[in-house]
Amino acid sequence: MMIMITALSSIILPKNWPTLSMHLSLATVLAMLTNYRNMDGIITYQGLFQDSISSPLVALSIFITLLSMLAAISNSLKKNKSSMLVLMLALMVSLVLCFSTSNILLFYIMFEASLVPMLLIILGWGYQVERLKAANMLILYTVLASLPLLYSLLVWSHQSKSSLFTSLISPSEVSMLSVMFGASVFIAFLVKLPLYITHLWLPKAHVEAPVGGSMLLAAILLKLGGYGLLRLSPVVSHVMKNINCFVMAWCLVGGVTAGILCSHQTDIKSLIALSSVVHMAFVAGTAVIMTDWSFSSNMFVMISHGLCSSALFFMANLAYERISSRSLSQVKGLFPLMWGSMALWFTALCANMSAPPFLSLLAEMGACISIINWSYMVMPLLMGLNFLPALYSLYMFTSSMFKAYEKVNWDLVPYSLREIILVVSHMAPLIAMTAYPYWMLVL
């Protein structure tokens, strides 16, 4: 599949793009090949390493960056395309370094540095004048929540006499200070995911961001929070056991509430953004449990959501480019009028509702099993988390399939080869990894 993308991109894109596309594709393949089951870690350079947690996310970052660059070359982006593509490459470099570093201070620096390219993308290529407000909310929510994390990491590295993840020493006793330290770690990453209540910056950023920015934001930037939880939550597990029930309740109740809000949205991008809050509830919930099964389920959920959400935002942008509206009341009857679009749209929504044969089904089944083993009392909330994505996904499908009540003269352009390749490139890995998911296991 990667060879096909490289060959087709060399035909579709300008002359200076085949080399870049091939390098990104080869880097993705190499990142995947470095990951295998029961791998303790591969040291690639002093302070950088690849293991079974970081390698899938590095591969996802490179792969989605390539697809977002292809998506950015559209009719709606008419100014400074090269500058936006450079920012996407800068964002990819910061994300790869963040996922690959073994130094907690470099991790924090890259964790925050990834916000700068996304901020510039929203400000420079946002669709509406509210993009300044969206950028401010993005910075305020994420930076303010992560400042206590910086202090905690500095104290932690000083006490451990090392700044490497593998050398961090868990707090020796449970005290108010150690609980506050663990809470600062959790809150910083839960805001980045985000969970309900801390999610208010997410719909704003998605609505104002261009298609490439939305794809990167949903597919990769939200995974920084899940990655941080996977790395640091085992070290602070014994000091956080007293508030694990609170965090789990926050995850599940917030996810159900966000699912209910999704069913009342009229803007397609806002609906897809809120659906990310529902899926990220599984990520935070399984990170709290901290078992091998929950960690593997966590990785499955992050990878499947990254590919699925990126595809949904890309297809929502295709509708926006053709009718200049993201309202479900205006999109009625759009997809059946374009050849092949209805099947692609339905396929993406099936992946979003965790229907077979997509990886998201295995991911959420594993997450539900691990959470039920933790406590049977949460089964009603898990039923809501599994039912609501199907409800609002079918709501999006039926709203876009029914014909408009008023006749509208749409000058519809059929899907181009580039657009079809992009959608298929998102969906094909989800099906392939369902058949052979072992390369991603954290066991």
Side-chain angles (χ1 to χ4, degrees):
M1 185 187 65
M2 296 302 301
I3 297 175
M4 180 186 68
I5 294 174
T6 302
L8 291 175
S9 63
S10 64
I11 298 174
I12 299 170
L13 297 175
K15 293 183 179 180
N16 59 328
W17 278 90
T19 302
L20 175 60
S21 301
M22 183 171 292
H23 287 171
L24 290 176
S25 302
L26 291 175
T28 304
V29 174
L30 290 175
M32 291 179 178
L33 291 177
T34 58
N35 180 42
Y36 53 89
R37 200 175 179 185
N38 293 326
M39 179 174 61
D40 295 328
I42 296 178
I43 304 299
T44 58
Y45 186 73
Q46 185 178 4
L48 300 178
F49 74 109
Q50 290 287 305
D51 64 0
S52 54
I53 298 178
S54 61
S55 182
L57 294 175
V58 169
L60 179 68
S61 302
I62 299 173
F63 184 62
I64 294 297
T65 303
L66 173 61
L67 296 183
S68 64
M69 287 179 174
L70 293 174
I73 305 175
S74 61
N75 295 329
S76 61
L77 185 62
K78 299 180 180 179
K79 60 176 183 178
N80 298 328
K81 291 184 180 180
S82 59
S83 300
M84 182 177 180
L85 299 179
V86 169
L87 289 175
M88 288 182 177
L89 282 175
L91 178 59
M92 183 196 72
V93 171
S94 63
L95 289 169
V96 169
L97 288 175
C98 183
F99 292 135
S100 301
T101 182
S102 60
N103 188 296
I104 59 174
L105 298 181
L106 181 59
F107 165 77
Y108 179 84
I109 293 172
M110 293 296 104
F111 183 82
E112 295 301 321
S114 61
L115 294 175
V116 178
M118 181 55 62
L119 177 68
L120 296 177
I121 289 173
I122 294 175
L123 291 176
W125 292 269
Y127 291 122
Q128 302 174 13
V129 294
E130 288 84 0
R131 58 182 180 270
L132 180 60
K133 180 180 179 181
N136 288 335
M137 293 184 67
L138 171 66
I139 293 297
L140 288 176
Y141 268 81
T142 55
V143 172
L144 290 180
S146 61
L147 287 178
L149 173 64
L150 174 61
Y151 175 76
S152 299
L153 292 179
L154 291 174
V155 174
W156 201 355
S157 60
H158 176 71
Q159 292 179 349
S160 302
K161 294 181 173 54
S162 175
S163 59
L164 299 179
F165 281 112
T166 55
S167 303
L168 294 178
I169 300 175
S170 180
S172 56
E173 59 181 11
V174 179
S175 62
M176 181 61 67
L177 183 60
S178 62
V179 171
M180 292 178 61
F181 164 69
S184 66
V185 172
F186 266 82
I187 291 174
F189 296 133
L190 294 182
V191 171
K192 197 77 169 184
L193 275 173
L195 286 188
Y196 186 73
I197 297 176
T198 63
H199 76 288
L200 297 179
W201 63 271
L202 185 64
K204 293 286 186 182
H206 273 303
V207 169
E208 303 302 329
V211 57
S214 292
M215 292 170 64
L216 290 170
L217 180 60
I220 310 175
L221 284 181
L222 299 188
K223 308 307 176 290
L224 289 174
Y227 175 76
L229 289 176
L230 287 177
R231 284 293 185 202
L232 297 179
S233 58
V235 187
V236 295
S237 58
H238 75 284
V239 301
M240 294 297 295
K241 61 183 179 181
N242 295 325
I243 64 171
N244 280 349
C245 293
F246 169 76
V247 176
M248 181 66 75
W250 182 13
C251 298
L252 299 182
V253 175
V256 171
T257 306
I260 296 173
L261 292 177
C262 286
S263 304
H264 295 80
Q265 297 296 313
T266 57
D267 188 291
I268 296 180
K269 290 190 72 173
S270 180
L271 197 159
I272 300 172
L274 281 175
S275 70
S276 298
V277 180
V278 180
H279 294 291
M280 290 300 101
F282 284 108
V283 174
T286 52
V288 167
I289 300 173
M290 288 171 290
T291 62
D292 289 340
W293 184 274
S294 66
F295 272 39
S296 297
S297 301
N298 194 314
M299 186 63 65
F300 281 131
V301 172
M302 288 195 290
I303 297 297
S304 61
H305 175 264
L307 293 168
C308 176
S309 61
S310 179
L312 288 174
F313 278 113
F314 177 69
M315 296 196 71
N317 183 74
L318 296 182
Y320 179 77
E321 288 181 351
R322 284 159 173 80
I323 65 173
S324 300
S325 176
R326 294 188 301 265
S327 175
L328 287 173
S329 61
Q330 297 294 325
V331 180
K332 287 183 176 181
L334 169 65
F335 288 100
L337 299 179
M338 295 183 294
W339 179 86
S341 61
M342 184 168 63
L344 294 174
W345 181 236
F346 181 73
T347 302
L349 291 177
C350 283
N352 190 51
M353 70 175 74
S354 303
F358 297 101
L359 180 67
S360 51
L361 174 64
L362 294 178
E364 296 195 3
M365 284 178 59
C368 288
I369 291 173
S370 60
I371 294 175
I372 290 174
N373 287 333
W374 181 75
S375 175
Y376 288 97
M377 300 297 292
V378 299
M379 288 184 66
L381 293 174
L382 286 177
M383 292 172 61
L385 278 180
N386 284 277
F387 170 74
L388 289 170
L391 177 65
Y392 59 70
S393 296
L394 292 175
Y395 165 63
M396 272 198 292
F397 180 72
T398 55
S399 298
S400 58
M401 289 302 107
F402 292 151
K403 292 183 179 179
Y405 294 106
E406 297 181 0
K407 186 176 180 180
V408 180
N409 295 322
W410 283 333
D411 184 15
L412 295 179
V413 180
Y415 280 3
S416 65
L417 178 61
R418 174 184 62 86
E419 294 167 345
I420 295 175
I421 291 172
L422 277 169
V423 178
V424 173
S425 299
H426 283 94
M427 296 295 104
L430 290 175
I431 299 175
M433 286 186 289
T434 304
Y436 190 76
Y438 299 104
W439 70 277
M440 261 189 341
L441 287 180
V442 189
L443 298 177

